[in-house]
């Protein structure tokens, strides 16, 4: 599987990056969704911990 697509430049024949493979899109979507879910869980736990300590102090 090629991760990046290259093409020859018309000026001098150097290779230049044309784009990334669409085969990687599901991986990036899954990674983004996992990050959002873990961040939401961490924020919920932090909020619950803050409420617990606030009840004990007050």
């Amino acid at each position: 599987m090629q991760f990046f697509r290259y093409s020859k430049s018309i000026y001098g024949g150097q290779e230049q990056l044309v784009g990334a493979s669409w085969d990687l899109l599901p991986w990036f979507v899954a990674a983004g969704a996992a990050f959002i879910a873990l961040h939401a869980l961490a924020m919920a736990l932090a909020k619950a911990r803050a409420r617990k300590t606030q009840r004990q102090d007050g």
Side-chain angles (χ1 to χ4, degrees), residues 5-54:
R5 293 178 292 138
Y6 295 94
S7 177
K8 293 273 187 190
S9 172
I10 60 173
Y11 305 107
Q14 292 180 338
E15 284 192 355
Q16 64 187 64
L17 181 64
V18 176
S21 173
W22 283 96
D23 296 336
L24 297 175
L25 184 62
W27 290 99
F28 288 116
V29 170
F35 178 80
I36 291 170
L38 289 173
H39 186 268
L41 179 64
M43 291 296 106
L45 290 174
K47 191 173 187 179
R49 184 178 291 166
R51 261 194 232 144
K52 184 178 178 182
T53 58
Q54 188 178 28

